Amino acid sequence: MSSSDLYNTKTAFFLSAYQTLINRALPDSSSPDYIPTLVYQARAHIALNDPAGAISLLPPNSENVALKAVSALARYVSATESSEQEPILEELRDLAVEIEGDDVEGTEHDKLTVRVIAGTAFARAGEIEEALETLGSETEDLEAVAVIVQIYLSINRPDRAKKEFERAKNWAEDDVLLQLIESSIGLVAARDGYSNANSFYTEQLANPSLSSTHILTARGVTRILRNEIPAAKSDLEESLERQKGGDAETLAACVVAAGIDAKKSNEADELWTRLSTEHPSHPLVVDVEQKSRLFDELCSNFPVPPLAVAA
Amino acid sequence: MSVMLTKFESKSNRVKGLAFHPTQPLLAAALHNGSIQLWNYRMGVLVDRFEEHEGPVRGVNFHPSRALLATGGDDYKIKVWDIRPQNRRCLFTLHGHLDFVRTVQFHHEMPWIISASDDQTIRIWNSTSRNCIAILTGHSHYVMSAYFHPKDDLVVSASVDQTVRVWDISGLRKGSPNTSTGPGNFESFDTFSTVKYILEGHDRGVNYAMFHPTLPLIVSAADDRTIKIWRMSETKAWEVDSCRGHFNNVSTALFHPKHELIVSCGEDKTVRVWDLAKRTAIQTFRRENDRFWVLASHPNLNLFAAGHDSGLIVFKLERERPAFAVHQDSLYYIRDKYVRSYDFNTGADLGLLSVRKFGSVYVPPRTLSFNPAERAVLVTISSDNGLYELTSLPQQAQGEMKDSSVDGKRGAGQSAIFVSRNRFAVLQKATQFIEIGDLANTVVKKIKPPVQTNEIFYGGTASLILSSTSTVVLYDIQQQKTLAEINSPPVKYVVWSNDGSLVALMSKHTITIANRTFTEHSLIHETIRIKSGAWDDSGVFIYSTLNHIKYCLPQGDHGVICTLDNPVYLTRVKGKTVHCLDRSGRPRTITFDPTEYRFKLALLKNNYEEMLYIIRTSTLLGQRFPEIALHFVQDTNTRFELALECGNLDVAMETAKTIDRPECWDRLAQQALKQGNHKIVEKAYQQTKNFDKLSFLYLATGSTDKLAKMQKIADARGDPMSRFHNALYAGDIEGRIAILREVGLNPLAYLTAKTSGLDDLALQILETVGMTEADVDDVPAFGTSILKPPPVINSTADQNWPVVSTGQNFFDQALANGSLETGIEPAYVNGDAAAGASSALDAWAKDEEVQDDLDPEEGGWELDADAGAAQVTEEVEEDATPDEDLPGSTPGISETEHWVRNSPLAPDHVAAGSFETAMQLLNRQLGIVNFVDLKPLFLSTYRSSHTYLTPVASLPPLQLHIRRNPTETSMSRTLPVVVRSLASVRTELGEGFRLVTGNKLAEARDVFRSVLRSLLLVPLASDDEARTWRELVTTSREYLLGVSIELERRRVAEEEPDNVSRNLELAAYFTECKLQPPQVLLALRSAITVFSKANNQFDAARYARRLLALNPDAKVVAMASFFFARQRIAAGERNPRNAVELSFDPYTPFEICGATFTPVYKGSPAAYCPYTNQAYLPEFKGKLDPLTQLSEIGAAASGLPAPW
């Protein structure tokens, strides 16, 4: 088992307690935990959509493959043009090949991290096949499995996701991440009325050594899926309150919950306005805007006759 | 039995006799030194002491129903005591025995006392006449004990002559032969009592013998170190068996009042427990130095007392605390070795599982942990050095109860609890290991706890709470590390709040309330032993001690809620109800009044709304509440605030004095001003030296003398402006002039004098400045000034009147507001409608929820699944099982595609994002052509049908699709969530009704249009829903039509005032719309008004009749309308003519064209709106429906299909 600090760091990362993670002190640079902790902190910055923070954290000119990969991911996320992104993907491809050799700097764990990060970047770029290949079909790294599973879920292949999960269960029982994977699958495949995800998030909420608003949001989302709208709203509102602002995900879920069987239509609309101005790139915003354009186009399919009025 | 639970111990001289009070927690102990102690064993207090016997006291007994105590001692006397504290004394003494008295006992119903003595006799005394009524002779040595049978007329005695005798005393009951017999005349009544059986078998003297409470058994204890059990029949008695084990004289042996047990004690310094059926020893409790002399059992409770050389102990033989666990609305608990479930809501109490074969039969299970995910229980028992058993509960109660031994998985351990869905933890106390097991009972992990652990509790996910002797530790199992540690006496029970944010750690005399990370905590001390606790919904901890139920607020404030006769074990608190298990393990509820702590909590949080609610609903506050509120508040500032809120000026004044800050006085003054209490205003102004306001106040109250004083004060302050002010207010012209002169404003002074007619003074002023009147003749002449303060009509200077009643305070206002929130509606201004009726009409409008009396037009509602929709489903080819063979990275079928396939209803297609098919469906089914206005609905529906979550960092979030049937497993039946429901649309419709009643017709029209748009996006799931849907469409249509007609009428009335006939027609059409009674009433009254104004008295009368035919109920509105309508009918009868001819025939059935607002008579051609079924003149076919602006009039449409 890895050391307690690293364990905490990992758990915090998996359960999306990014701010907690960032606020933790780095171990001594000679410690074996130093590189992994640094990588996780950098990844937490990236997850919080602050790639600059990640880059500033990383020591320049490090030869460590994991650090190089993370830095690439940070740059990839901050790049907006595909022309900027493509060379970074190339860089990651090279790294993924490099780690097959023996003469690179970094532990086995670092090499696995490279795969996970490269896979993440490829998946973001929509290169599904390449991502899956990089992560490896026989991998025994649970983080890689988490990425693989989510990729499968995002392309509506819960069957493959389940297979990966069953495979991972053989060697990684009891890991928090495995439970998270299971609950994600449950959310997409809607098994047992979402009870597994619900109890997983409820359990994690009761975990005294960690507190993450993401978990609260996740349970709120689960409760929406379970059609427990008032309970969902209370989770989401608490999450918003505790975040003192609200991330896109919580806000988006609030919009959704507020709209379901709403007594007051304006509540959802106010939230929506807030979401679409604060987080214009959230998939919900993008998607709905696209649907809005679609609607306008479709309207023209139906010619509107003149209004019937008394002569 | 592994424990003898000592409840109380006292040190004293040797204890020879003991007796429990039958109802109160009192124990009488007779001491060798001659005193009798009365202990409250629950509180551990010596209540009283009786010291009149000379020499040792051996026998002691309470009267079963009265506050009496009988004692017998070595002074040969029997004394009867009144033990009531106010009356405590020896009532009388019974003389007669000639040697030591060994035991005394009251009869359970007769006024008899029985005594056993070393004079070899047993005597029965009448405690009323205080005479000896029987002497039982026959024993040939000391009689060591003599007791009545609990029901029959029998006595059992034990003697040093080695016999136990059973006596028949039935003769005693028949007569009372003793009345004429004086003391010493024993022989005469000896015949009333005879020896029935002599039980021989003991080899030494017998010390004690008693009857079994229900069975025909006798137990005896003797110096031959044995306990013997005897059985009796009607005719004989014989020895059954002996219990051997004591290695010295046995002093007492008792039958357990409830269980098949015998408890004995002896001079070998032990208390022993025996199985009555098997006559085997179960348990031995040993004492170092003290020989046991006497044992007593409580008549009803599981409680014993034993007297020894240096005092007494009170003990229980088994834990009474039932093992239980609470999950949501269910309590799982163990009674009589059965796991049962109890539903808090319904009270259903079911046996689920037998645990009889688990551990020792004599020991009840100690704890129970419930796992809702697996519906499994983990039970522990303290016998055999600690065992646990993991069993699943049957889904419901079965005919034959499942026994846990069938599939139970057992192991050794002192404490065992579930830590997650699939893991449980077991404490091995001796080796100090915590084992984590899975559901198959295999140990997956072994943990060495960081402290000496005596008990483990659930500590949140993957965490444990470890209780050690001086600390309690929050421990993470996965990381195997201590998260936090709090100093505390040994924690015995742990209770988590409902939301898991707080935890109560209970030890014997303390409760620690901590948050879930143990970072914050507070401690409460109790002198009385703490038994149990449960969290209230509002985060208040309710706990029980031996004799109270108490509350504890988060900040540590605690207090008593109610007193308990017997301890209870709280399981849950919900509102005013405490659910608990009593000491026999039966569920009970106790209702209490949470007002006090709720109020305190509300005060702490400054939550006036909550306080308001409490005041509104509470029964406690029959009195005026401010007293109560103020009573609770200690803090002066809060008190002041509250007093202001309540309008309690006296308290506010008092607290303001203590606080004494300007802003307080200002606020007090404001509030007092509002209430008209100018005395307090005055004081407040004085305090803050607010002279200007003070002066004005004196002016307002007409307090001229005070104004004069103010002038003086101003003078003293050297403030001429203020002096002038006050002079002005007081009407003191000389004063004003004097001030003006003083400050050198002579011209003004002169003019003032002049205009006030004070010519002399004016001259004087001129003189002082050395001028004459001639110098100022260029000054224009002013008329005499009439400027003066208004005269005082009613002097209120000395009265505090009128004062607004202090009842008019925050709470009352809020109360009033609460009821008015939805109540105030603008009046419907329709002609000369009596204003008084409008508010009553509003009341009617509220009944709009009652839709039943509507008679919507039924029809055009084709429920058969027809071609239009079927086509859509056919278009998508059916391939439900595509997944397995596809290569890894090929995308699968999205859930939204399934939704589209599974439903022929537009709303579901919208939710799936398939707007194109949704539009096609609406077009085909309902003829909708104009979609522009539907855009917000489409988008909001789509928006609320999907949600996003990012489980893995930096990957795009997963889109999750919300189903309305979350438990559905087959993809071919999943459907999207209901974003718009019939209920929500109905609410919107109700809003429209209110707007109509409130005469906001244009807004109402918008609402009805919106309702009709919303209805297009309501997914339907049954015929019932479809019917309701159609009713809602029809109702909305009728209202939309009616409102449009009325708007048109108003336009005509305004823009074409000469077009009276059109005006009248439209008014008439409005009444034809199928509205609900309140709004029909409005339409009719509007029509009556318009028609009678136009002098169409006949028609007006017709509408008036219709209005009466509506038969409005007994409401106030009826009176007004009735009167009004009668008047019109009378006018119509006087003058049955119409001044204006109308161009429609009211006697042929007709519909109203929605475009022209003209009649479409029955039988004439018409075009219909395919959605609402609104009629139109045929020439409008192919045009856009002007009412809804959604559909094409006369378009072919299939109606909605039935997908269910």
Side-chain angles (χ1 to χ4, degrees):
Chain A
M1 185 165 213
S2 44
S3 77
S4 165
D5 283 340
L6 188 57
Y7 172 89
N8 275 328
T9 306
K10 275 168 119 171
T11 312
F13 182 74
F14 298 149
L15 296 179
S16 309
Y18 301 126
Q19 203 54 52
T20 324
L21 172 52
I22 289 167
N23 295 342
R24 285 211 179 122
L26 273 171
D28 186 78
S29 61
S30 61
S31 153
D33 288 349
Y34 175 70
I35 297 282
T37 310
L38 194 59
V39 169
Y40 281 120
Q41 289 204 349
R43 289 176 68 189
H45 275 290
I46 299 171
L48 285 175
N49 213 4
D50 173 29
I55 291 168
S56 68
L57 197 67
L58 297 168
N61 309 325
S62 168
E63 280 304 309
N64 182 292
V65 279
L67 294 181
K68 275 160 90 180
V70 153
S71 137
L73 182 66
R75 278 177 284 126
Y76 177 80
V77 170
S78 54
T80 46
E81 300 296 318
S82 64
S83 58
E84 297 172 48
Q85 290 176 340
E86 197 48 44
I88 304 172
L89 289 181
E90 274 307 319
E91 204 178 304
L92 282 167
R93 280 185 192 113
D94 292 346
L95 268 176
V97 175
E98 243 177 72
I99 55 171
E100 301 289 342
D102 296 330
D103 52 348
V104 287
E105 193 186 318
T107 61
E108 281 309 306
H109 181 266
D110 294 343
K111 290 180 185 171
L112 290 173
T113 307
V114 172
R115 290 184 188 278
V116 169
I117 288 171
T120 307
F122 297 151
R124 276 184 82 110
E127 303 284 346
I128 303 293
E129 253 170 276
E130 190 177 9
L132 291 174
E133 206 173 292
T134 310
L135 291 161
S137 58
E138 294 300 319
T139 178
E140 293 221 343
D141 176 31
L142 206 51
E143 274 197 69
V145 174
V147 178
I148 293 172
V149 164
Q150 180 159 347
I151 290 173
Y152 280 134
L153 292 178
S154 67
I155 59 169
N156 299 313
R157 291 303 303 272
D159 55 319
R160 301 286 302 199
K162 270 176 223 168
K163 267 190 192 164
E164 281 296 326
F165 167 71
E166 292 298 333
R167 206 171 58 77
K169 231 162 86 170
N170 292 330
W171 81 83
E173 202 180 351
D174 247 15
D175 200 297
V176 176
L177 185 53
L178 189 76
Q179 294 186 43
L180 177 78
I181 292 170
E182 189 182 7
S183 83
S184 309
I185 297 175
L187 287 179
V188 172
R191 275 188 302 182
D192 316 329
Y194 306 99
S195 64
N196 191 310
N198 192 42
S199 39
F200 169 69
Y201 287 122
T202 307
E203 273 182 27
Q204 289 310 322
L205 277 178
N207 185 340
S209 52
L210 183 116
S211 118
S212 156
T213 51
H214 171 80
I215 299 292
L216 206 51
T217 305
R219 188 173 70 172
V221 167
T222 313
R223 284 177 157 173
I224 292 179
L225 292 171
R226 285 163 68 92
N227 289 1
E228 297 167 352
I229 304 301
K233 278 187 183 166
S234 97
D235 274 352
L236 296 170
E237 276 158 19
E238 191 186 336
S239 175
L240 275 186
E241 203 173 297
R242 295 217 324 235
Q243 291 176 36
K244 310 252 176 357
D247 60 358
E249 198 146 289
T250 315
L251 212 49
C254 280
V255 171
V256 172
I260 294 176
D261 208 12
K263 297 279 180 278
K264 296 173 284 183
S265 56
N266 50 356
E267 185 192 353
D269 290 337
E270 278 164 22
L271 286 164
W272 170 249
T273 317
R274 189 171 151 203
L275 176 71
S276 47
T277 43
E278 288 178 21
H279 306 281
S281 62
H282 189 271
L284 179 63
V285 181
V286 175
D287 190 24
V288 169
E289 267 165 14
Q290 187 220 329
K291 289 290 179 202
S292 160
R293 282 193 298 277
L294 173 71
F295 187 96
D296 294 341
E297 281 166 30
L298 290 171
C299 271
S300 59
N301 292 350
F302 298 90
V304 180
L307 201 65
V309 280
Chain B
M1 207 156 309
S2 56
V3 239
M4 171 178 281
L5 297 150
T6 305
K7 295 274 120 185
F8 167 68
E9 242 185 300
S10 83
K11 291 270 171 234
S12 67
N13 207 288
R14 182 181 300 171
V15 175
K16 301 292 283 186
L18 284 169
F20 278 101
H21 192 282
T23 52
Q24 291 169 353
L26 293 176
L27 177 72
L31 267 48
H32 201 260
N33 64 2
S35 91
I36 299 137
Q37 294 178 332
L38 197 56
W39 288 95
N40 182 325
Y41 54 85
R42 196 182 289 167
M43 314 289 291
V45 194
L46 181 62
V47 178
D48 209 340
R49 185 185 274 155
F50 304 98
E51 294 179 318
E52 286 181 25
H53 278 290
E54 292 160 33
V57 189
R58 299 172 191 274
V60 63
N61 189 237
F62 282 101
H63 192 279
S65 54
R66 297 171 54 198
L68 296 177
L69 184 73
T71 56
D74 286 4
D75 54 2
Y76 312 172
K77 290 173 190 159
I78 297 163
K79 285 178 178 284
V80 176
W81 312 79
D82 187 331
I83 54 166
R84 286 173 297 178
Q86 69 276 21
N87 250 349
R88 58 171 302 276
R89 65 197 164 99
C90 176
L91 290 174
F92 55 87
T93 308
L94 301 173
H95 300 274
H97 276 298
L98 307 169
D99 207 335
F100 299 170
V101 178
R102 293 280 176 174
T103 66
V104 289
Q105 188 198 12
F106 285 102
H107 193 268
H108 55 276
E109 55 184 26
M110 302 298 286
W112 297 344
I113 296 169
I114 191 170
S115 59
S117 165
D118 283 4
D119 65 6
Q120 307 184 9
T121 66
I122 299 154
R123 292 180 193 231
I124 300 174
W125 313 77
N126 185 318
S127 58
T128 316
S129 65
R130 300 170 190 182
N131 285 328
C132 176
I133 55 169
I135 300 176
L136 312 183
T137 53
H139 277 298
S140 55
H141 211 303
Y142 304 159
V143 185
M144 298 300 284
S145 81
Y147 293 106
F148 289 116
H149 191 278
K151 284 190 286 292
D152 301 335
D153 286 329
L154 295 174
V155 167
V156 64
S157 61
S159 164
V160 183
D161 66 6
Q162 305 182 13
T163 66
V164 172
R165 289 176 194 233
V166 178
W167 311 76
D168 185 340
I169 54 163
S170 50
L172 208 56
R173 200 185 274 269
K174 286 169 193 142
S176 50
N178 192 30
T179 43
S180 59
T181 322
N185 248 347
F186 312 139
E187 286 71 18
S188 59
F189 53 77
D190 227 12
T191 50
F192 289 96
S193 47
T194 51
V195 176
K196 198 170 180 193
Y197 312 117
I198 300 177
L199 306 174
E200 293 177 310
H202 281 294
D203 300 334
R204 295 281 182 84
V206 189
N207 292 321
Y208 193 89
M210 78 175 282
F211 289 112
H212 192 277
T214 51
L215 300 170
L217 294 176
I218 293 166
V219 65
S220 60
D223 285 352
D224 61 3
R225 302 173 186 184
T226 64
I227 297 154
K228 283 191 189 289
I229 297 150
W230 316 78
R231 182 176 280 273
M232 330 181 269
S233 69
E234 280 305 307
T235 52
K236 54 181 178 161
W238 63 96
E239 183 183 332
V240 177
D241 207 347
S242 312
C243 302
R244 291 163 209 283
H246 279 287
F247 48 83
N248 205 334
N249 300 342
V250 191
S251 314
T252 311
L254 301 173
F255 288 114
H256 192 290
K258 290 198 176 140
H259 299 299
E260 295 204 336
L261 295 173
I262 294 170
V263 189
S264 66
C265 70
E267 293 175 46
D268 60 354
K269 301 166 193 167
T270 61
V271 171
R272 293 174 193 246
V273 184
W274 312 80
D275 185 316
L276 173 59
K278 297 185 202 150
R279 271 80 70 184
T280 48
I282 294 169
Q283 202 205 343
T284 305
F285 173 75
R286 212 166 251 107
R287 227 178 142 86
E288 252 343 89
N289 303 312
D290 302 317
R291 290 166 296 172
F292 284 103
W293 296 105
V294 65
L295 195 61
S297 67
H298 193 283
N300 308 311
L301 303 174
N302 164 30
L303 213 53
F304 295 87
H308 54 74
D309 280 338
S310 58
L312 65 94
I313 55 173
V314 176
F315 60 94
K316 287 204 279 194
L317 281 184
E318 60 194 28
R319 279 164 67 90
E320 279 174 343
R321 183 190 178 83
F324 68 87
V326 176
H327 176 68
Q328 289 170 355
D329 282 343
S330 297
L331 167 73
Y332 296 89
Y333 71 105
I334 299 177
R335 186 170 82 222
D336 301 337
K337 305 213 81 173
Y338 287 99
V339 178
R340 308 177 64 90
S341 78
Y342 172 78
D343 188 305
F344 289 121
N345 295 332
T346 64
D349 187 1
L350 300 171
L352 295 175
L353 175 78
S354 155
V355 287
R356 295 185 82 91
K357 293 179 183 155
F358 172 51
S360 157
V361 288
Y362 308 108
V363 182
R366 203 173 69 91
T367 65
L368 178 146
S369 175
F370 179 71
N371 179 342
E374 301 291 333
R375 203 174 154 76
V377 287
L378 187 59
V379 179
T380 65
I381 197 161
S382 48
S383 72
D384 305 291
N385 239 333
L387 295 173
Y388 70 85
E389 182 172 54
L390 170 66
T391 330
S392 62
L393 292 179
Q395 280 309 310
Q396 64 245 4
Q398 296 152 332
E400 192 168 323
M401 214 179 292
K402 178 184 166 184
D403 192 279
S404 67
S405 59
V406 175
D407 63 350
K409 301 180 181 67
R410 297 182 182 179
Q414 281 68 44
S415 188
I417 49 155
F418 282 109
V419 287
S420 71
R421 277 163 301 161
N422 48 10
R423 293 286 181 273
F424 64 93
V426 179
L427 172 69
Q428 303 298 349
K429 213 159 147 184
T431 52
Q432 282 295 308
F433 269 107
I434 295 168
E435 294 168 351
I436 307 296
D438 65 9
L439 295 179
N441 201 16
T442 25
V443 175
V444 296
K445 201 183 272 184
K446 256 186 151 180
I447 298 169
K448 182 92 190 155
V451 290
Q452 174 75 27
T453 304
N454 295 324
E455 183 115 37
I456 56 175
F457 303 97
Y458 180 69
T461 302
S463 303
L464 287 175
I465 290 171
L466 312 177
S467 161
S468 78
T469 43
S470 60
T471 64
V472 52
V473 172
L474 183 63
Y475 187 77
D476 186 317
I477 312 168
Q478 272 181 347
Q479 305 175 57
Q480 308 205 4
K481 83 174 212 203
T482 299
L483 298 176
E485 190 164 355
I486 300 177
N487 287 331
S488 159
V491 169
K492 303 179 74 181
Y493 314 110
V494 164
V495 185
W496 286 87
S497 67
N498 300 340
D499 61 356
S501 61
L502 293 170
V503 62
L505 310 166
M506 293 185 281
S507 52
K508 236 183 204 179
H509 293 286
T510 63
I511 299 177
T512 307
I513 304 277
N515 62 356
R516 72 191 178 107
T517 52
F518 278 26
T519 45
E520 291 163 25
H521 51 90
S522 62
L523 184 75
I524 301 162
H525 273 283
E526 275 292 336
T527 48
I528 309 299
R529 190 176 300 204
I530 297 162
K531 299 296 280 186
S532 66
W535 290 88
D536 169 67
D537 290 334
S538 54
V540 177
F541 188 63
I542 309 294
Y543 61 99
S544 72
T545 64
L546 277 174
N547 55 353
H548 284 123
I549 292 181
K550 308 181 86 170
Y551 65 84
C552 161
L553 297 183
Q555 105 292 14
D557 187 2
H558 57 121
V560 175
I561 291 174
C562 64
T563 314
L564 292 170
D565 293 333
N566 280 311
V568 291
Y569 302 91
L570 307 190
T571 52
R572 182 157 101 151
V573 181
K574 184 95 184 159
K576 295 180 173 181
T577 308
V578 170
H579 292 273
C580 57
L581 290 166
D582 66 16
R583 45 202 313 179
S584 59
R586 286 178 196 280
R588 263 182 67 189
T589 56
I590 298 172
T591 315
F592 68 103
D593 193 340
T595 312
E596 181 181 315
Y597 73 77
R598 290 261 173 89
F599 208 101
K600 279 192 182 177
L601 195 64
L603 282 172
L604 274 176
K605 295 182 175 169
N606 280 335
N607 186 346
Y608 288 118
E609 242 172 85
E610 167 79 14
M611 282 156 66
L612 170 64
Y613 176 79
I614 291 167
I615 287 153
R616 223 162 155 175
T617 52
S618 133
T619 46
L620 185 145
L621 304 167
Q623 325 148 44
R624 270 183 55 228
F625 59 85
E627 276 87 336
I628 288 151
L630 292 169
H631 169 77
F632 282 127
V633 194
Q634 303 300 317
D635 175 55
T636 323
N637 282 318
T638 322
R639 235 173 115 79
F640 176 74
E641 297 289 332
L642 191 69
L644 278 193
E645 293 285 2
C646 301
N648 188 332
L649 292 179
D650 295 339
V651 177
M653 180 77 188
E654 183 189 303
T655 40
K657 275 180 192 157
T658 347
I659 303 170
D660 197 22
R661 273 205 307 268
E663 64 267 24
C664 278
W665 289 113
D666 282 349
R667 293 187 49 204
L668 175 63
Q670 269 174 27
Q671 179 63 31
L673 208 52
K674 273 190 206 148
Q675 294 187 15
N677 191 330
H678 63 79
K679 297 271 186 201
I680 289 186
V681 180
E682 179 186 353
K683 276 196 190 115
Y685 286 162
Q686 284 169 351
Q687 289 296 329
T688 48
K689 304 209 182 336
N690 203 333
F691 298 106
D692 289 355
K693 286 188 174 174
L694 204 50
S695 301
F696 194 74
L697 180 73
Y698 291 142
L699 173 70
T701 54
S703 176
T704 37
D705 49 337
K706 292 266 178 65
L707 279 173
K709 268 188 200 154
M710 287 303 286
Q711 252 175 295
K712 280 186 194 130
I713 293 168
D715 196 14
R717 288 193 296 132
D719 183 346
M721 201 61 204
S722 176
R723 272 176 70 198
F724 184 76
H725 233 127
N726 285 307
L728 194 65
Y729 286 162
D732 177 2
I733 297 161
E734 277 99 349
R736 262 158 67 200
I737 295 169
I739 298 157
L740 289 173
R741 286 180 72 183
E742 263 174 49
V743 296
L745 289 173
N746 284 316
L748 277 178
Y750 169 75
L751 281 177
T752 309
K754 197 79 183 155
T755 52
S756 309
L758 298 171
D759 290 339
D760 299 346
L761 196 58
L763 273 176
Q764 214 180 318
I765 297 165
L766 280 181
E767 276 165 27
T768 42
V769 293
M771 287 203 282
T772 60
E773 265 188 78
D775 295 332
V776 290
D777 56 2
D778 56 334
V779 175
F782 295 97
T784 313
S785 166
I786 49 161
L787 177 71
K788 61 175 182 184
V792 175
I793 298 166
N794 264 324
S795 172
T796 54
D798 300 322
Q799 295 166 305
N800 247 343
W801 185 89
V803 176
V804 180
S805 117
T806 47
Q808 267 295 342
N809 53 44
F810 168 82
F811 294 105
D812 285 353
Q813 281 165 13
L815 278 168
N817 291 344
S819 62
L820 289 175
E821 249 159 42
T822 53
I824 296 185
E825 304 279 3
Y828 186 76
V829 208
N830 235 350
D832 56 1
S838 61
S839 63
L841 281 170
D842 298 335
W844 280 38
K846 280 190 194 141
D847 299 337
E848 111 281 298
E849 297 296 331
V850 190
Q851 303 258 333
D852 301 357
D853 41 14
L854 265 182
D855 181 22
E857 228 173 342
E858 187 72 45
W861 180 241
E862 285 138 71
L863 294 176
D864 45 333
D866 68 37
Q871 279 169 11
V872 182
T873 30
E874 279 158 21
E875 279 162 17
V876 192
E877 64 178 291
E878 194 64 47
D879 56 346
T881 53
D883 301 341
E884 292 305 323
D885 317 324
L886 291 174
S889 56
T890 313
I893 297 172
S894 159
E895 176 141 356
T896 57
E897 286 179 45
H898 285 287
W899 288 354
V900 171
R901 287 181 201 180
N902 296 345
S903 172
L905 293 177
D908 295 335
H909 287 235
V910 171
S914 177
F915 288 1
E916 187 165 7
T917 53
M919 285 177 176
Q920 283 166 1
L921 286 175
L922 285 175
N923 180 258
R924 238 178 271 165
Q925 293 168 353
L926 299 169
I928 307 298
V929 287
N930 184 11
F931 286 96
V932 180
D933 293 337
L934 292 175
K935 186 175 176 183
L937 281 170
F938 267 53
L939 289 180
S940 66
T941 302
Y942 176 72
R943 206 169 65 194
S944 279
S945 303
H946 311 272
T947 178
Y948 289 84
L949 188 68
T950 314
V952 178
S954 297
L955 281 177
L958 285 174
Q959 191 188 29
L960 302 169
H961 309 283
I962 311 168
R963 300 177 180 180
R964 66 165 163 271
N965 42 2
T967 48
E968 180 58 63
T969 48
S970 163
M971 285 306 273
S972 62
R973 280 196 293 273
T974 61
L975 287 169
V977 67
V978 178
V979 177
R980 295 290 284 173
S981 69
L982 284 172
S984 69
V985 174
R986 200 190 291 253
T987 315
E988 199 181 344
L989 188 58
E991 183 53 33
F993 293 160
R994 267 192 286 278
L995 286 170
V996 172
T997 315
N999 198 23
K1000 296 189 173 149
L1001 297 185
E1003 285 98 325
R1005 182 168 59 182
D1006 292 342
V1007 169
F1008 293 126
R1009 279 194 176 137
S1010 151
V1011 166
L1012 282 166
R1013 286 196 295 268
S1014 300
L1015 281 167
L1016 288 176
L1017 286 183
V1018 174
L1020 304 175
S1022 67
D1023 280 349
D1024 270 351
E1025 280 192 19
R1027 218 168 289 127
T1028 316
W1029 184 85
R1030 178 45 76 180
E1031 280 167 16
L1032 287 176
V1033 169
T1034 309
T1035 310
S1036 314
R1037 179 198 73 200
E1038 286 293 322
Y1039 271 85
L1040 179 54
L1041 178 66
V1043 166
S1044 304
I1045 291 172
E1046 176 66 12
L1047 281 170
E1048 171 69 6
R1049 185 187 73 76
R1050 294 191 188 177
R1051 189 194 65 78
V1052 169
E1054 183 154 320
E1055 291 175 16
E1056 309 163 36
D1058 300 336
N1059 197 347
V1060 179
S1061 72
R1062 180 66 177 156
N1063 187 347
L1064 294 189
E1065 273 169 35
L1066 290 168
Y1069 298 149
F1070 188 25
T1071 68
E1072 298 298 322
C1073 296
K1074 293 173 188 64
L1075 310 182
Q1076 289 182 52
Q1079 285 88 21
V1080 171
L1081 206 72
L1082 296 174
L1084 285 172
R1085 289 176 51 168
S1086 159
I1088 295 168
T1089 314
V1090 176
F1091 274 79
S1092 49
K1093 258 194 193 155
N1095 207 16
N1096 269 25
Q1097 298 300 354
F1098 179 73
D1099 282 333
R1102 205 160 50 83
Y1103 290 118
R1105 280 196 199 94
R1106 268 181 64 190
L1107 184 120
L1108 287 185
L1110 269 178
N1111 194 17
D1113 301 328
K1115 299 205 172 184
V1116 188
V1117 65
M1119 296 305 294
S1121 308
F1122 183 81
F1123 184 69
F1124 172 72
R1126 277 288 149 129
Q1127 220 180 338
R1128 287 303 142 209
I1129 294 170
E1133 277 164 358
R1134 276 200 307 278
N1135 185 11
R1137 285 186 308 107
N1138 284 334
V1140 183
E1141 278 304 309
L1142 297 186
S1143 65
F1144 85 97
D1145 168 10
Y1147 301 105
T1148 312
F1150 62 89
E1151 292 172 293
I1152 302 157
C1153 168
T1156 56
F1157 307 131
T1158 53
V1160 182
Y1161 291 103
K1162 200 178 177 184
S1164 54
Y1168 289 92
C1169 165
Y1171 172 33
T1172 62
N1173 235 7
Q1174 170 65 43
Y1176 288 94
L1177 291 171
E1179 65 256 37
F1180 293 115
K1181 188 171 188 313
K1183 300 268 178 59
L1184 185 67
D1185 178 340
L1187 290 178
T1188 60
Q1189 299 176 354
L1190 291 169
S1191 54
E1192 180 186 325
I1193 297 167
S1198 60
L1200 289 188
W1204 46 91

